[in-house]
């Protein structure tokens, strides 16, 4: 990022969702740039990249849930961050379909709780980035999505994202909250342990010599953006928040190279030399939009952001991460079987 070498040095940054895929990589990037990170953590997953990398030991931890407003208010007043990244959410479309209450509590109530705590925490909160999704647009007659399109989700996950984005915009336009919205398509990269997602699930299946499961018919179209490019986007959006045409706005971030699920899986097959393993196409997806992809021209023009990695580069890095992770898990599993109970008896 141009002329921003020391921007994050010594800044106090509050991150929700720090144990998730993007949150773990965002914390890593912030620490590398000298920021003082405060992380809201609901559940401590020992397999999270935040814990496995040792980064958890380098951040201040606030234990709690987005649904608990008092926890958020205390965290902000105690730590006085000048930047807030709101990434915590229920992120699985299928889970939202099965349990809409948890989806709305986390993604809607959690968002307005965080924004209200920031509003009351001013003036030290100077910039807020809310992570959203292309799902906020719902089904559109024409693609790609552009930021001027209405937000009209229909299924629980989409509706939660639409609501959260509208609430976020309301806090800017009504109270002047310095906030902007980041909308991405499908994010992939090392550290995503939601095995129902297409990239980690496919890589693990091929690593095991198994057939990867495709829940749809394989023709669904999506954007696929590498996690480190997403982190770059969030950081840039935060830095640019005090510039004209940024605060109160939504921004699409995309490589602008949409592809079908089958095309993506075949790329992984080639990179892992697994063309001999057939696919298991279930065609059972429920509550998912068939085609979604984003126009990122607004981010290019106002934020001067473009992704730095090609799909092949991102997939190679992701496959390498999962191979190392799965090899380690395999060794641990074998060691537990050798001792019989998982304990070292030396």
């Amino acid at each position: 990022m141009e002329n921003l070498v020391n921007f994050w040095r010594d800044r106090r940054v509050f991150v929700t969702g720090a144990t998730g895929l993007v949150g773990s990589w965002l914390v890593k990037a912030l620490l590398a740039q000298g920021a003082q990170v405060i992380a809201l953590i609901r559940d401590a997953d020992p397999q999270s990249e935040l814990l496995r990398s040792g980064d958890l030991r380098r951040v201040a931890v606030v234990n709690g849930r987005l649904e608990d407003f008092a926890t958020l208010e205390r965290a902000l007043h105690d730590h006085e961050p000048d930047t807030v990244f709101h990434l915590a959410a229920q992120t699985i479309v299928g889970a939202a379909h099965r349990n809409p209450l948890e989806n709305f509590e986390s993604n809607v109530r959690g968002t307005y709780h965080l924004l209200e705590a920031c509003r009351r925490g001013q003036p030290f909160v100077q910039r807020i980035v809310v992570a959203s999704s292309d799902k906020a647009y719902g089904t559109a007659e024409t693609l790609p999505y552009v930021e001027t399109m209405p937000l009209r989700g229909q299924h629980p996950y989409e509706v939660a994202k639409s609501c959260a984005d509208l609430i976020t915009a309301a806090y800017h336009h009504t109270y002047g909250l310095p906030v902007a919205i980041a909308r991405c398509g499908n994010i992939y990269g090392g550290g995503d342990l939601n095995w129902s997602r297409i990239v980690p699930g496919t890589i693990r299946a091929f690593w095991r010599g198994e057939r990867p499961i495709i829940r749809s018919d394989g023709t669904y179209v999506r954007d696929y953006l590498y996690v480190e490019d997403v982190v770059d986007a969030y950081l840039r959006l935060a830095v640019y928040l005090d510039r004209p045409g940024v605060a109160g706005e939504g921004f699409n971030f995309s490589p602008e190279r949409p592809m079908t699920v089958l095309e993506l899986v075949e790329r992984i097959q080639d990179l892992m030399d697994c063309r001999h393993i057939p696919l298991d196409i279930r065609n059972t997806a429920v509550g998912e939009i068939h085609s979604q992809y984003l126009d990122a021209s607004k981010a290019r023009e106002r934020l001067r952001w473009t992704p730095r990695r090609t799909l092949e580069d991102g997939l190679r890095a992701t496959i390498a991460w999962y191979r190392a992770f799965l090899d380690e898990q395999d060794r641990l599993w074998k060691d537990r079987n050798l001792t019989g109970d998982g304990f070292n008896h030396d």
Side-chain angles (χ1 to χ4, degrees):
M1 298 173 70
E2 71 285 347
N3 302 319
L4 301 172
V5 175
N6 295 315
F7 182 88
W8 294 105
R9 187 174 181 179
D10 296 329
R11 288 188 183 272
R12 302 181 67 79
V13 182
F14 183 59
V15 179
T16 74
T19 59
L21 168 61
V22 182
S24 296
W25 287 91
L26 176 63
V27 169
K28 189 186 301 294
L30 287 167
L31 291 173
Q33 296 183 49
Q36 300 177 39
V37 178
I38 306 101
L40 178 71
I41 295 178
R42 184 182 71 173
D43 300 316
D45 182 353
Q47 293 187 326
S48 165
E49 181 64 11
L50 183 71
L51 278 73
R52 295 181 70 254
S53 66
D55 289 338
L56 183 66
R57 296 191 297 271
R58 302 172 61 199
V59 307
V61 173
V62 175
N63 294 114
R65 298 168 58 90
L66 290 167
E67 295 87 337
D68 181 2
F69 180 76
T71 294
L72 294 175
E73 194 168 39
R74 177 185 64 80
L76 293 179
H77 283 287
D78 285 356
H79 295 278
E80 296 188 348
D82 70 15
T83 305
V84 174
F85 289 98
H86 176 42
L87 278 61
Q90 194 296 107
T91 61
I92 305 298
V93 175
H97 185 85
R98 293 188 298 272
N99 189 354
L101 180 60
E102 171 66 20
N103 167 64
F104 293 131
E105 286 289 304
S106 176
N107 294 357
V108 181
R109 184 192 295 270
T111 297
Y112 67 67
H113 274 183
L114 187 278
L115 294 171
E116 178 63 11
C118 288
R119 185 183 74 86
R120 297 186 186 187
Q122 288 185 301
F124 55 78
V125 177
Q126 300 174 15
R127 59 189 62 81
I128 308 156
V129 171
V130 172
S132 185
S133 165
D134 56 359
K135 305 294 187 293
Y137 292 110
T139 302
E141 294 180 2
T142 60
L143 291 170
Y145 296 123
V146 294
E147 290 87 348
T148 54
M149 287 180 171
L151 306 178
R152 52 181 189 184
Q154 294 181 321
H155 297 290
Y157 185 83
E158 305 158 24
V159 169
K161 290 300 184 183
S162 300
C163 288
D165 285 14
L166 290 169
I167 290 168
T168 299
Y171 265 86
H172 170 75
H173 295 297
T174 306
Y175 305 109
L177 207 64
V179 61
I181 301 161
R183 299 189 186 109
C184 300
N186 283 26
I187 301 168
Y188 71 95
D192 185 357
L193 302 180
N194 287 307
W195 301 108
S196 63
R197 289 191 178 131
I198 190 65
V199 172
T202 296
I203 292 173
R204 186 175 70 169
F206 285 143
W207 182 84
R208 291 176 170 176
E210 300 171 353
R211 299 173 62 189
I213 295 172
I214 298 176
R215 297 190 311 276
S216 68
D217 63 1
T219 66
Y220 283 44
V221 177
R222 295 288 186 270
D223 283 322
Y224 294 95
L225 186 60
Y226 182 56
V227 64
E228 290 190 76
D229 285 320
V230 176
V231 169
D232 290 345
Y234 290 179
L235 293 175
R236 183 169 289 264
L237 184 54
V239 169
Y240 275 57
L241 253 167
D242 60 355
R243 304 191 184 190
V246 177
E249 297 285 315
F251 287 86
N252 296 338
F253 296 100
S254 165
E256 299 181 297
R257 291 179 174 82
M259 62 177 56
T260 67
V261 172
L262 281 177
E263 288 172 330
L264 176 73
V265 171
E266 288 167 357
R267 298 282 185 94
I268 298 172
Q269 271 185 309
D270 290 337
L271 291 170
M272 296 185 70
D273 194 24
C274 289
R275 277 287 186 173
H276 60 286
I277 301 177
L279 311 181
D280 183 358
I281 301 174
R282 300 284 179 88
N283 195 19
T284 57
V286 176
E288 294 198 30
I289 298 168
H290 185 277
S291 296
Q292 294 184 287
Y293 49 94
L294 297 157
D295 176 281
S297 58
K298 182 177 176 180
R300 282 197 305 275
E301 293 165 4
R302 298 192 193 181
L303 308 177
R304 292 160 59 175
W305 174 89
T306 54
R308 293 188 289 159
R309 291 87 173 171
T310 65
L311 178 68
E312 285 71 21
D313 289 342
L315 286 176
R316 285 192 184 96
T318 302
I319 290 167
W321 189 96
Y322 282 109
R323 278 178 167 154
F325 173 81
L326 292 167
D327 283 341
E328 177 188 7
Q329 295 299 304
D330 195 42
R331 286 194 299 272
L332 291 172
W333 182 81
K334 290 176 180 177
D335 289 344
R336 285 195 295 269
N337 280 349
L338 285 174
T339 61
D341 58 9
F343 293 96
N344 189 335
H345 295 276
D346 291 344

